[in-house]
Structures are given as structure tokens and as C-alpha cells.
Amino acid sequence: AREPSVSAFCRAVGLNRTQFNRYLSGESPPGPEVLAKICDHFKVDARILLEPLGQMAPHTEATAMVSALAGFLGPRR
């Protein structure tokens, strides 16, 4: 809800939209600096992007943000 589109998100975070598409498609993994920008933007712990959800402690702020990020980014392909 913070950004109206993926393009707006990329502009707000300072990411190249074409490269971000590669991250979303799984064609290219984002580096640590990009992950930090995304996590800073959403104010979430980077573990939600790096660790399997089942390994995280239940009811943490990070697990609560997973559904918000999934809604923003859409279904996995």
C-alpha cells in the first residue's frame, strides 16, 4: 500500500526496474545491498527474505510481514 506499483517502488528504493524484474522472475538473485534497500523500505528483518519461513520463530514481526510482501509482489511463478 506504500507504493501504487512496482515501478513506483523501484523509484522510491532506487532500484532499476528491469533488474528488479530479474529478481522477481528468479533469473538473477539480488545482492546484499539490494536486499538491505528492500528491507529498509518495508522496515522488516532481512531474515524473511533469506531464511525458510518454517525456521523462523512464530509470531515475529518478520513473519507478519510475509503476507504483506507477498501481496505486493504477487504470486511466485
Short mmCIF file of all heavy atoms in Angstrom, two decimals:
data_model
loop_
_atom_site.label_atom_id
_atom_site.label_comp_id
_atom_site.label_asym_id
_atom_site.label_seq_id
_atom_site.Cartn_x
_atom_site.Cartn_y
_atom_site.Cartn_z
N ALA A 1 0.83 -1.20 0.00
CA ALA A 1 0.00 0.00 0.00
C ALA A 1 0.87 1.26 0.00
O ALA A 1 0.40 2.32 -0.35
CB ALA A 1 -0.92 -0.01 1.21
N ARG A 2 2.12 1.11 0.38
CA ARG A 2 3.01 2.27 0.44
C ARG A 2 3.30 2.82 -0.95
O ARG A 2 3.42 4.02 -1.14
CB ARG A 2 4.31 1.87 1.12
CG ARG A 2 5.24 3.03 1.38
CD ARG A 2 6.50 2.60 2.08
NE ARG A 2 6.14 2.07 3.39
CZ ARG A 2 7.02 1.58 4.23
NH1 ARG A 2 8.28 1.53 3.93
NH2 ARG A 2 6.64 1.12 5.40
N GLU A 3 3.41 1.96 -1.94
CA GLU A 3 3.69 2.38 -3.32
C GLU A 3 2.57 1.85 -4.22
O GLU A 3 2.13 0.71 -4.07
CB GLU A 3 5.04 1.83 -3.80
CG GLU A 3 6.21 2.14 -2.90
CD GLU A 3 6.51 3.62 -2.74
OE1 GLU A 3 6.10 4.42 -3.59
OE2 GLU A 3 7.16 3.96 -1.74
N PRO A 4 2.12 2.64 -5.20
CA PRO A 4 1.00 2.21 -6.04
C PRO A 4 1.36 1.15 -7.08
O PRO A 4 0.48 0.50 -7.63
CB PRO A 4 0.55 3.50 -6.72
CG PRO A 4 1.75 4.37 -6.71
CD PRO A 4 2.52 4.00 -5.47
N SER A 5 2.65 0.96 -7.37
CA SER A 5 3.05 -0.02 -8.38
C SER A 5 4.48 -0.47 -8.12
O SER A 5 5.21 0.14 -7.32
CB SER A 5 2.96 0.60 -9.77
OG SER A 5 3.93 1.62 -9.91
N VAL A 6 4.88 -1.51 -8.82
CA VAL A 6 6.25 -1.99 -8.70
C VAL A 6 7.21 -0.92 -9.22
O VAL A 6 8.28 -0.70 -8.65
CB VAL A 6 6.44 -3.33 -9.45
CG1 VAL A 6 7.89 -3.75 -9.45
CG2 VAL A 6 5.58 -4.41 -8.81
N SER A 7 6.82 -0.23 -10.29
CA SER A 7 7.68 0.84 -10.83
C SER A 7 7.88 1.95 -9.80
O SER A 7 8.99 2.46 -9.62
CB SER A 7 7.08 1.41 -12.11
OG SER A 7 7.11 0.45 -13.13
N ALA A 8 6.80 2.32 -9.12
CA ALA A 8 6.90 3.35 -8.08
C ALA A 8 7.79 2.88 -6.94
O ALA A 8 8.59 3.65 -6.39
CB ALA A 8 5.52 3.73 -7.57
N PHE A 9 7.66 1.61 -6.58
CA PHE A 9 8.51 1.03 -5.54
C PHE A 9 9.98 1.12 -5.95
O PHE A 9 10.83 1.55 -5.17
CB PHE A 9 8.12 -0.43 -5.28
CG PHE A 9 9.15 -1.20 -4.51
CD1 PHE A 9 9.34 -0.98 -3.16
CD2 PHE A 9 9.95 -2.13 -5.15
CE1 PHE A 9 10.30 -1.68 -2.45
CE2 PHE A 9 10.91 -2.84 -4.45
CZ PHE A 9 11.08 -2.61 -3.10
N CYS A 10 10.29 0.74 -7.20
CA CYS A 10 11.67 0.78 -7.68
C CYS A 10 12.23 2.20 -7.64
O CYS A 10 13.37 2.41 -7.24
CB CYS A 10 11.76 0.21 -9.09
SG CYS A 10 11.55 -1.59 -9.13
N ARG A 11 11.41 3.17 -8.02
CA ARG A 11 11.87 4.57 -7.97
C ARG A 11 12.12 4.99 -6.52
O ARG A 11 13.13 5.63 -6.21
CB ARG A 11 10.84 5.49 -8.62
CG ARG A 11 10.87 5.47 -10.13
CD ARG A 11 10.02 6.57 -10.73
NE ARG A 11 8.61 6.49 -10.34
CZ ARG A 11 7.68 5.76 -10.96
NH1 ARG A 11 8.01 5.05 -12.02
NH2 ARG A 11 6.43 5.76 -10.54
N ALA A 12 11.22 4.62 -5.62
CA ALA A 12 11.35 5.02 -4.22
C ALA A 12 12.59 4.42 -3.57
O ALA A 12 13.23 5.06 -2.73
CB ALA A 12 10.09 4.61 -3.45
N VAL A 13 12.92 3.20 -3.96
CA VAL A 13 14.04 2.50 -3.34
C VAL A 13 15.35 2.75 -4.09
O VAL A 13 16.43 2.52 -3.56
CB VAL A 13 13.72 0.99 -3.24
CG1 VAL A 13 14.86 0.19 -2.67
CG2 VAL A 13 12.48 0.77 -2.40
N GLY A 14 15.25 3.20 -5.33
CA GLY A 14 16.44 3.44 -6.13
C GLY A 14 16.94 2.21 -6.84
O GLY A 14 18.14 2.01 -7.00
N LEU A 15 16.01 1.36 -7.28
CA LEU A 15 16.37 0.14 -8.00
C LEU A 15 16.01 0.27 -9.47
O LEU A 15 15.03 0.91 -9.82
CB LEU A 15 15.62 -1.06 -7.43
CG LEU A 15 15.86 -1.38 -5.96
CD1 LEU A 15 14.96 -2.52 -5.52
CD2 LEU A 15 17.31 -1.73 -5.73
N ASN A 16 16.79 -0.38 -10.32
CA ASN A 16 16.50 -0.44 -11.74
C ASN A 16 15.33 -1.40 -11.94
O ASN A 16 15.38 -2.55 -11.50
CB ASN A 16 17.75 -0.92 -12.49
CG ASN A 16 17.51 -1.07 -13.96
OD1 ASN A 16 16.90 -2.05 -14.39
ND2 ASN A 16 18.01 -0.13 -14.72
N ARG A 17 14.28 -0.94 -12.63
CA ARG A 17 13.07 -1.75 -12.80
C ARG A 17 13.34 -3.03 -13.58
O ARG A 17 12.84 -4.10 -13.24
CB ARG A 17 11.99 -0.91 -13.51
CG ARG A 17 10.71 -1.67 -13.84
CD ARG A 17 9.94 -2.00 -12.57
NE ARG A 17 8.60 -2.41 -12.87
CZ ARG A 17 8.15 -3.67 -12.78
NH1 ARG A 17 8.96 -4.64 -12.41
NH2 ARG A 17 6.91 -3.95 -13.05
N THR A 18 14.16 -2.95 -14.62
CA THR A 18 14.49 -4.15 -15.41
C THR A 18 15.21 -5.18 -14.56
O THR A 18 14.89 -6.37 -14.60
CB THR A 18 15.35 -3.77 -16.63
OG1 THR A 18 14.62 -2.82 -17.41
CG2 THR A 18 15.68 -4.98 -17.47
N GLN A 19 16.17 -4.71 -13.77
CA GLN A 19 16.89 -5.64 -12.89
C GLN A 19 15.96 -6.21 -11.83
O GLN A 19 16.03 -7.39 -11.50
CB GLN A 19 18.09 -4.94 -12.23
CG GLN A 19 18.95 -5.87 -11.41
CD GLN A 19 19.57 -6.99 -12.23
OE1 GLN A 19 20.01 -6.81 -13.36
NE2 GLN A 19 19.60 -8.18 -11.66
N PHE A 20 15.05 -5.39 -11.31
CA PHE A 20 14.10 -5.87 -10.31
C PHE A 20 13.22 -6.97 -10.90
O PHE A 20 12.90 -7.95 -10.22
CB PHE A 20 13.26 -4.72 -9.76
CG PHE A 20 12.48 -5.09 -8.54
CD1 PHE A 20 13.12 -5.32 -7.33
CD2 PHE A 20 11.10 -5.20 -8.58
CE1 PHE A 20 12.41 -5.66 -6.19
CE2 PHE A 20 10.38 -5.54 -7.45
CZ PHE A 20 11.04 -5.77 -6.26
N ASN A 21 12.84 -6.84 -12.17
CA ASN A 21 12.08 -7.91 -12.84
C ASN A 21 12.87 -9.22 -12.85
O ASN A 21 12.29 -10.30 -12.69
CB ASN A 21 11.73 -7.52 -14.27
CG ASN A 21 10.59 -6.55 -14.34
OD1 ASN A 21 9.82 -6.39 -13.42
ND2 ASN A 21 10.48 -5.87 -15.48
N ARG A 22 14.17 -9.12 -13.02
CA ARG A 22 15.02 -10.32 -12.99
C ARG A 22 15.00 -10.97 -11.61
O ARG A 22 15.03 -12.18 -11.47
CB ARG A 22 16.44 -9.98 -13.42
CG ARG A 22 16.54 -9.62 -14.89
CD ARG A 22 17.98 -9.36 -15.30
NE ARG A 22 18.01 -8.91 -16.67
CZ ARG A 22 18.46 -7.74 -17.07
NH1 ARG A 22 18.96 -6.87 -16.20
NH2 ARG A 22 18.44 -7.40 -18.34
N TYR A 23 14.98 -10.15 -10.57
CA TYR A 23 14.88 -10.68 -9.21
C TYR A 23 13.55 -11.40 -9.02
O TYR A 23 13.49 -12.50 -8.48
CB TYR A 23 15.00 -9.59 -8.15
CG TYR A 23 16.24 -8.74 -8.20
CD1 TYR A 23 16.19 -7.40 -7.82
CD2 TYR A 23 17.46 -9.24 -8.62
CE1 TYR A 23 17.31 -6.60 -7.85
CE2 TYR A 23 18.60 -8.44 -8.66
CZ TYR A 23 18.51 -7.11 -8.28
OH TYR A 23 19.62 -6.32 -8.31
N LEU A 24 12.47 -10.76 -9.47
CA LEU A 24 11.15 -11.34 -9.28
C LEU A 24 10.97 -12.66 -10.04
O LEU A 24 10.30 -13.57 -9.57
CB LEU A 24 10.07 -10.35 -9.72
CG LEU A 24 9.92 -9.09 -8.89
CD1 LEU A 24 8.87 -8.17 -9.49
CD2 LEU A 24 9.57 -9.43 -7.45
N SER A 25 11.57 -12.75 -11.22
CA SER A 25 11.43 -13.96 -12.04
C SER A 25 12.37 -15.07 -11.60
O SER A 25 12.24 -16.20 -12.05
CB SER A 25 11.69 -13.63 -13.51
OG SER A 25 13.07 -13.36 -13.72
N GLY A 26 13.33 -14.75 -10.74
CA GLY A 26 14.30 -15.73 -10.30
C GLY A 26 15.48 -15.87 -11.25
O GLY A 26 16.34 -16.71 -11.06
N GLU A 27 15.52 -15.03 -12.27
CA GLU A 27 16.61 -15.06 -13.25
C GLU A 27 17.93 -14.63 -12.63
O GLU A 27 18.99 -15.09 -13.03
CB GLU A 27 16.24 -14.13 -14.41
CG GLU A 27 17.23 -14.07 -15.53
CD GLU A 27 16.80 -13.10 -16.62
OE1 GLU A 27 15.59 -12.85 -16.78
OE2 GLU A 27 17.70 -12.58 -17.29
N SER A 28 17.87 -13.74 -11.65
CA SER A 28 19.07 -13.20 -11.04
C SER A 28 18.77 -12.92 -9.56
O SER A 28 17.74 -12.34 -9.25
CB SER A 28 19.45 -11.90 -11.75
OG SER A 28 20.46 -11.22 -11.06
N PRO A 29 19.65 -13.34 -8.66
CA PRO A 29 19.40 -13.04 -7.24
C PRO A 29 19.87 -11.62 -6.89
O PRO A 29 20.89 -11.16 -7.40
CB PRO A 29 20.23 -14.08 -6.50
CG PRO A 29 21.36 -14.36 -7.44
CD PRO A 29 20.81 -14.22 -8.83
N PRO A 30 19.15 -10.94 -6.02
CA PRO A 30 19.61 -9.62 -5.58
C PRO A 30 20.80 -9.76 -4.63
O PRO A 30 20.89 -10.72 -3.88
CB PRO A 30 18.39 -9.04 -4.86
CG PRO A 30 17.61 -10.23 -4.44
CD PRO A 30 17.86 -11.30 -5.45
N GLY A 31 21.68 -8.80 -4.68
CA GLY A 31 22.83 -8.80 -3.79
C GLY A 31 22.46 -8.25 -2.42
O GLY A 31 21.34 -7.78 -2.20
N PRO A 32 23.39 -8.30 -1.49
CA PRO A 32 23.12 -7.84 -0.13
C PRO A 32 22.68 -6.38 -0.05
O PRO A 32 21.82 -6.04 0.76
CB PRO A 32 24.46 -8.04 0.59
CG PRO A 32 25.21 -9.03 -0.21
CD PRO A 32 24.73 -8.88 -1.62
N GLU A 33 23.26 -5.52 -0.87
CA GLU A 33 22.88 -4.10 -0.83
C GLU A 33 21.42 -3.90 -1.27
O GLU A 33 20.70 -3.10 -0.69
CB GLU A 33 23.81 -3.27 -1.70
CG GLU A 33 25.21 -3.16 -1.13
CD GLU A 33 26.14 -2.35 -2.02
OE1 GLU A 33 25.66 -1.70 -2.97
OE2 GLU A 33 27.34 -2.37 -1.75
N VAL A 34 21.00 -4.65 -2.29
CA VAL A 34 19.62 -4.55 -2.76
C VAL A 34 18.67 -5.10 -1.70
O VAL A 34 17.63 -4.49 -1.41
CB VAL A 34 19.43 -5.28 -4.11
CG1 VAL A 34 17.97 -5.35 -4.50
CG2 VAL A 34 20.25 -4.60 -5.19
N LEU A 35 19.02 -6.23 -1.11
CA LEU A 35 18.18 -6.79 -0.04
C LEU A 35 18.05 -5.80 1.11
O LEU A 35 16.96 -5.63 1.67
CB LEU A 35 18.77 -8.10 0.47
CG LEU A 35 18.70 -9.29 -0.49
CD1 LEU A 35 19.38 -10.50 0.13
CD2 LEU A 35 17.27 -9.61 -0.87
N ALA A 36 19.14 -5.13 1.44
CA ALA A 36 19.09 -4.14 2.52
C ALA A 36 18.16 -2.99 2.16
O ALA A 36 17.38 -2.53 3.01
CB ALA A 36 20.49 -3.62 2.82
N LYS A 37 18.20 -2.52 0.91
CA LYS A 37 17.30 -1.44 0.48
C LYS A 37 15.84 -1.85 0.59
O LYS A 37 15.00 -1.09 1.06
CB LYS A 37 17.59 -1.04 -0.97
CG LYS A 37 18.85 -0.25 -1.16
CD LYS A 37 19.02 0.11 -2.63
CE LYS A 37 20.26 0.93 -2.87
NZ LYS A 37 20.36 1.37 -4.28
N ILE A 38 15.54 -3.08 0.14
CA ILE A 38 14.16 -3.57 0.19
C ILE A 38 13.70 -3.69 1.63
O ILE A 38 12.60 -3.25 1.98
CB ILE A 38 14.05 -4.91 -0.56
CG1 ILE A 38 14.30 -4.70 -2.05
CG2 ILE A 38 12.68 -5.55 -0.32
CD1 ILE A 38 14.48 -5.99 -2.85
N CYS A 39 14.52 -4.28 2.48
CA CYS A 39 14.15 -4.46 3.89
C CYS A 39 14.02 -3.12 4.60
O CYS A 39 13.11 -2.94 5.40
CB CYS A 39 15.16 -5.36 4.59
SG CYS A 39 15.06 -7.07 4.02
N ASP A 40 14.91 -2.19 4.31
CA ASP A 40 14.81 -0.86 4.91
C ASP A 40 13.50 -0.19 4.49
O ASP A 40 12.83 0.44 5.31
CB ASP A 40 15.98 0.02 4.50
CG ASP A 40 17.28 -0.36 5.18
OD1 ASP A 40 17.24 -1.15 6.17
OD2 ASP A 40 18.34 0.11 4.74
N HIS A 41 13.14 -0.32 3.22
CA HIS A 41 11.91 0.31 2.72
C HIS A 41 10.69 -0.22 3.45
O HIS A 41 9.81 0.54 3.84
CB HIS A 41 11.78 0.06 1.21
CG HIS A 41 10.56 0.68 0.61
ND1 HIS A 41 10.48 2.02 0.32
CD2 HIS A 41 9.37 0.14 0.27
CE1 HIS A 41 9.29 2.28 -0.19
NE2 HIS A 41 8.60 1.15 -0.23
N PHE A 42 10.63 -1.55 3.62
CA PHE A 42 9.47 -2.17 4.26
C PHE A 42 9.62 -2.27 5.77
O PHE A 42 8.72 -2.74 6.46
CB PHE A 42 9.21 -3.56 3.67
CG PHE A 42 8.64 -3.50 2.29
CD1 PHE A 42 9.42 -3.83 1.20
CD2 PHE A 42 7.33 -3.12 2.08
CE1 PHE A 42 8.90 -3.79 -0.08
CE2 PHE A 42 6.80 -3.06 0.81
CZ PHE A 42 7.59 -3.40 -0.28
N LYS A 43 10.80 -1.85 6.30
CA LYS A 43 11.07 -1.90 7.73
C LYS A 43 10.88 -3.32 8.29
O LYS A 43 10.15 -3.53 9.26
CB LYS A 43 10.22 -0.88 8.48
CG LYS A 43 10.54 0.54 8.07
CD LYS A 43 9.73 1.54 8.85
CE LYS A 43 9.95 2.98 8.49
NZ LYS A 43 10.73 3.37 7.39
N VAL A 44 11.53 -4.27 7.62
CA VAL A 44 11.45 -5.67 8.03
C VAL A 44 12.84 -6.25 8.21
O VAL A 44 13.83 -5.75 7.68
CB VAL A 44 10.67 -6.53 7.02
CG1 VAL A 44 9.23 -6.09 6.92
CG2 VAL A 44 11.32 -6.52 5.66
N ASP A 45 12.90 -7.33 8.94
CA ASP A 45 14.12 -8.09 9.17
C ASP A 45 14.46 -8.84 7.88
O ASP A 45 13.60 -9.47 7.28
CB ASP A 45 13.84 -9.07 10.32
CG ASP A 45 15.07 -9.80 10.79
OD1 ASP A 45 15.87 -10.25 9.95
OD2 ASP A 45 15.21 -9.95 12.01
N ALA A 46 15.70 -8.82 7.47
CA ALA A 46 16.13 -9.47 6.23
C ALA A 46 15.91 -10.98 6.27
O ALA A 46 15.86 -11.62 5.22
CB ALA A 46 17.60 -9.17 5.96
N ARG A 47 15.74 -11.55 7.44
CA ARG A 47 15.53 -13.00 7.53
C ARG A 47 14.31 -13.46 6.76
O ARG A 47 14.26 -14.59 6.30
CB ARG A 47 15.44 -13.45 8.97
CG ARG A 47 16.75 -13.32 9.70
CD ARG A 47 16.63 -13.76 11.13
NE ARG A 47 15.60 -12.99 11.80
CZ ARG A 47 14.90 -13.42 12.85
NH1 ARG A 47 15.14 -14.60 13.37
NH2 ARG A 47 13.99 -12.67 13.41
N ILE A 48 13.30 -12.58 6.57
CA ILE A 48 12.11 -13.03 5.84
C ILE A 48 12.44 -13.30 4.38
O ILE A 48 11.71 -14.01 3.71
CB ILE A 48 10.92 -12.05 5.94
CG1 ILE A 48 11.24 -10.73 5.25
CG2 ILE A 48 10.51 -11.83 7.37
CD1 ILE A 48 10.02 -9.86 5.06
N LEU A 49 13.54 -12.74 3.88
CA LEU A 49 13.96 -12.99 2.51
C LEU A 49 15.03 -14.07 2.42
O LEU A 49 15.24 -14.64 1.35
CB LEU A 49 14.50 -11.70 1.88
CG LEU A 49 13.53 -10.53 1.83
CD1 LEU A 49 14.24 -9.29 1.33
CD2 LEU A 49 12.34 -10.86 0.95
N LEU A 50 15.71 -14.34 3.50
CA LEU A 50 16.87 -15.23 3.47
C LEU A 50 16.64 -16.60 4.10
O LEU A 50 17.30 -17.56 3.73
CB LEU A 50 18.06 -14.56 4.15
CG LEU A 50 18.49 -13.22 3.54
CD1 LEU A 50 19.54 -12.56 4.41
CD2 LEU A 50 19.00 -13.42 2.13
N GLU A 51 15.75 -16.70 5.07
CA GLU A 51 15.53 -17.96 5.77
C GLU A 51 14.19 -18.55 5.39
O GLU A 51 13.23 -17.82 5.19
CB GLU A 51 15.54 -17.73 7.29
CG GLU A 51 16.86 -17.33 7.86
CD GLU A 51 16.81 -17.15 9.38
OE1 GLU A 51 15.83 -17.60 10.01
OE2 GLU A 51 17.75 -16.58 9.91
N PRO A 52 14.12 -19.88 5.32
CA PRO A 52 12.80 -20.50 5.13
C PRO A 52 11.88 -20.11 6.27
O PRO A 52 12.29 -20.06 7.44
CB PRO A 52 13.11 -22.00 5.16
CG PRO A 52 14.56 -22.10 4.80
CD PRO A 52 15.19 -20.84 5.36
N LEU A 53 10.66 -19.81 5.94
CA LEU A 53 9.70 -19.33 6.94
C LEU A 53 9.54 -20.32 8.08
O LEU A 53 9.41 -19.93 9.23
CB LEU A 53 8.35 -19.05 6.27
CG LEU A 53 7.32 -18.32 7.09
CD1 LEU A 53 7.87 -16.98 7.59
CD2 LEU A 53 6.06 -18.10 6.28
N GLY A 54 9.61 -21.60 7.80
CA GLY A 54 9.45 -22.62 8.82
C GLY A 54 10.55 -22.61 9.87
O GLY A 54 10.36 -23.13 10.97
N GLN A 55 11.68 -22.01 9.57
CA GLN A 55 12.79 -21.96 10.53
C GLN A 55 12.73 -20.74 11.43
O GLN A 55 13.46 -20.65 12.40
CB GLN A 55 14.13 -21.95 9.79
CG GLN A 55 14.44 -23.24 9.09
CD GLN A 55 15.78 -23.19 8.38
OE1 GLN A 55 16.52 -22.22 8.48
NE2 GLN A 55 16.09 -24.24 7.64
N MET A 56 11.84 -19.81 11.12
CA MET A 56 11.74 -18.60 11.93
C MET A 56 10.81 -18.84 13.10
O MET A 56 9.90 -19.66 13.03
CB MET A 56 11.23 -17.44 11.08
CG MET A 56 12.19 -17.05 9.97
SD MET A 56 11.60 -15.70 8.98
CE MET A 56 11.69 -14.39 10.19
N ALA A 57 11.05 -18.11 14.17
CA ALA A 57 10.17 -18.21 15.34
C ALA A 57 8.78 -17.70 14.97
O ALA A 57 8.66 -16.70 14.26
CB ALA A 57 10.74 -17.39 16.49
N PRO A 58 7.73 -18.40 15.40
CA PRO A 58 6.38 -17.95 15.06
C PRO A 58 6.04 -16.62 15.72
O PRO A 58 6.60 -16.25 16.75
CB PRO A 58 5.50 -19.07 15.60
CG PRO A 58 6.32 -19.75 16.64
CD PRO A 58 7.75 -19.57 16.23
N HIS A 59 5.12 -15.89 15.09
CA HIS A 59 4.56 -14.65 15.62
C HIS A 59 5.58 -13.52 15.76
O HIS A 59 5.43 -12.67 16.62
CB HIS A 59 3.85 -14.89 16.96
CG HIS A 59 2.84 -15.98 16.90
ND1 HIS A 59 1.71 -15.91 16.13
CD2 HIS A 59 2.82 -17.19 17.48
CE1 HIS A 59 1.02 -17.03 16.24
NE2 HIS A 59 1.67 -17.82 17.06
N THR A 60 6.60 -13.54 14.95
CA THR A 60 7.54 -12.43 14.97
C THR A 60 7.08 -11.37 13.99
O THR A 60 6.24 -11.62 13.12
CB THR A 60 8.96 -12.87 14.59
OG1 THR A 60 8.95 -13.30 13.23
CG2 THR A 60 9.48 -13.96 15.50
N GLU A 61 7.62 -10.19 14.11
CA GLU A 61 7.29 -9.11 13.17
C GLU A 61 7.63 -9.53 11.74
O GLU A 61 6.92 -9.22 10.81
CB GLU A 61 8.06 -7.85 13.54
CG GLU A 61 7.79 -6.69 12.61
CD GLU A 61 8.62 -5.47 12.96
OE1 GLU A 61 8.97 -5.29 14.13
OE2 GLU A 61 8.91 -4.70 12.03
N ALA A 62 8.74 -10.27 11.59
CA ALA A 62 9.17 -10.69 10.26
C ALA A 62 8.13 -11.60 9.61
O ALA A 62 7.81 -11.45 8.44
CB ALA A 62 10.52 -11.37 10.33
N THR A 63 7.61 -12.57 10.36
CA THR A 63 6.63 -13.48 9.75
C THR A 63 5.33 -12.74 9.44
O THR A 63 4.65 -13.08 8.49
CB THR A 63 6.36 -14.70 10.65
OG1 THR A 63 5.92 -14.28 11.93
CG2 THR A 63 7.59 -15.57 10.77
N ALA A 64 5.00 -11.73 10.21
CA ALA A 64 3.78 -10.96 9.94
C ALA A 64 3.89 -10.18 8.64
O ALA A 64 2.90 -9.94 7.96
CB ALA A 64 3.51 -10.01 11.10
N MET A 65 5.12 -9.82 8.25
CA MET A 65 5.31 -9.04 7.03
C MET A 65 5.31 -9.89 5.78
O MET A 65 5.18 -9.38 4.68
CB MET A 65 6.63 -8.25 7.11
CG MET A 65 6.60 -7.13 8.12
SD MET A 65 5.30 -5.91 7.82
CE MET A 65 5.79 -5.27 6.24
N VAL A 66 5.43 -11.21 5.91
CA VAL A 66 5.49 -12.07 4.73
C VAL A 66 4.24 -11.92 3.88
O VAL A 66 4.32 -11.77 2.67
CB VAL A 66 5.71 -13.55 5.14
CG1 VAL A 66 5.49 -14.48 3.96
CG2 VAL A 66 7.10 -13.72 5.71
N SER A 67 3.07 -11.91 4.49
CA SER A 67 1.85 -11.79 3.70
C SER A 67 1.74 -10.42 3.04
O SER A 67 1.26 -10.30 1.92
CB SER A 67 0.61 -12.08 4.55
OG SER A 67 0.51 -11.14 5.60
N ALA A 68 2.22 -9.39 3.70
CA ALA A 68 2.19 -8.05 3.10
C ALA A 68 3.10 -8.00 1.88
O ALA A 68 2.73 -7.45 0.83
CB ALA A 68 2.61 -7.01 4.12
N LEU A 69 4.29 -8.57 1.98
CA LEU A 69 5.21 -8.59 0.84
C LEU A 69 4.66 -9.47 -0.28
O LEU A 69 4.76 -9.11 -1.45
CB LEU A 69 6.58 -9.09 1.26
CG LEU A 69 7.43 -8.10 2.03
CD1 LEU A 69 8.70 -8.79 2.53
CD2 LEU A 69 7.79 -6.92 1.17
N ALA A 70 4.08 -10.59 0.07
CA ALA A 70 3.52 -11.48 -0.96
C ALA A 70 2.40 -10.77 -1.70
O ALA A 70 2.28 -10.88 -2.93
CB ALA A 70 3.00 -12.77 -0.32
N GLY A 71 1.58 -10.00 -1.00
CA GLY A 71 0.51 -9.26 -1.66
C GLY A 71 1.05 -8.20 -2.59
O GLY A 71 0.50 -7.96 -3.67
N PHE A 72 2.15 -7.57 -2.22
CA PHE A 72 2.74 -6.52 -3.05
C PHE A 72 3.42 -7.12 -4.28
O PHE A 72 3.26 -6.64 -5.38
CB PHE A 72 3.74 -5.70 -2.24
CG PHE A 72 4.43 -4.63 -3.05
CD1 PHE A 72 3.77 -3.46 -3.37
CD2 PHE A 72 5.72 -4.81 -3.51
CE1 PHE A 72 4.38 -2.47 -4.10
CE2 PHE A 72 6.34 -3.82 -4.25
CZ PHE A 72 5.67 -2.66 -4.55
N LEU A 73 4.19 -8.18 -4.08
CA LEU A 73 4.97 -8.76 -5.17
C LEU A 73 4.18 -9.72 -6.05
O LEU A 73 4.57 -9.99 -7.16
CB LEU A 73 6.20 -9.48 -4.60
CG LEU A 73 7.19 -8.58 -3.87
CD1 LEU A 73 8.29 -9.41 -3.24
CD2 LEU A 73 7.78 -7.54 -4.81
N GLY A 74 3.07 -10.24 -5.53
CA GLY A 74 2.26 -11.16 -6.32
C GLY A 74 2.70 -12.61 -6.12
O GLY A 74 3.67 -12.89 -5.41
N PRO A 75 1.99 -13.53 -6.78
CA PRO A 75 2.30 -14.95 -6.59
C PRO A 75 3.64 -15.33 -7.21
O PRO A 75 4.08 -14.72 -8.18
CB PRO A 75 1.15 -15.65 -7.30
CG PRO A 75 0.64 -14.67 -8.28
CD PRO A 75 0.89 -13.31 -7.68
N ARG A 76 4.26 -16.34 -6.61
CA ARG A 76 5.52 -16.85 -7.18
C ARG A 76 5.20 -17.60 -8.45
O ARG A 76 4.19 -18.27 -8.57
CB ARG A 76 6.19 -17.80 -6.19
CG ARG A 76 6.70 -17.06 -4.97
CD ARG A 76 7.39 -17.99 -4.07
NE ARG A 76 8.63 -18.40 -4.72
CZ ARG A 76 9.56 -19.11 -4.13
NH1 ARG A 76 9.41 -19.49 -2.90
NH2 ARG A 76 10.66 -19.43 -4.78
N ARG A 77 6.12 -17.52 -9.40
CA ARG A 77 5.90 -18.21 -10.69
C ARG A 77 6.83 -19.37 -10.83
O ARG A 77 7.86 -19.46 -10.37
CB ARG A 77 6.13 -17.24 -11.83
CG ARG A 77 5.11 -16.15 -11.80
CD ARG A 77 5.34 -15.16 -12.88
NE ARG A 77 4.45 -14.02 -12.60
CZ ARG A 77 4.59 -12.87 -13.11
NH1 ARG A 77 5.54 -12.61 -13.95
NH2 ARG A 77 3.76 -11.91 -12.81
#
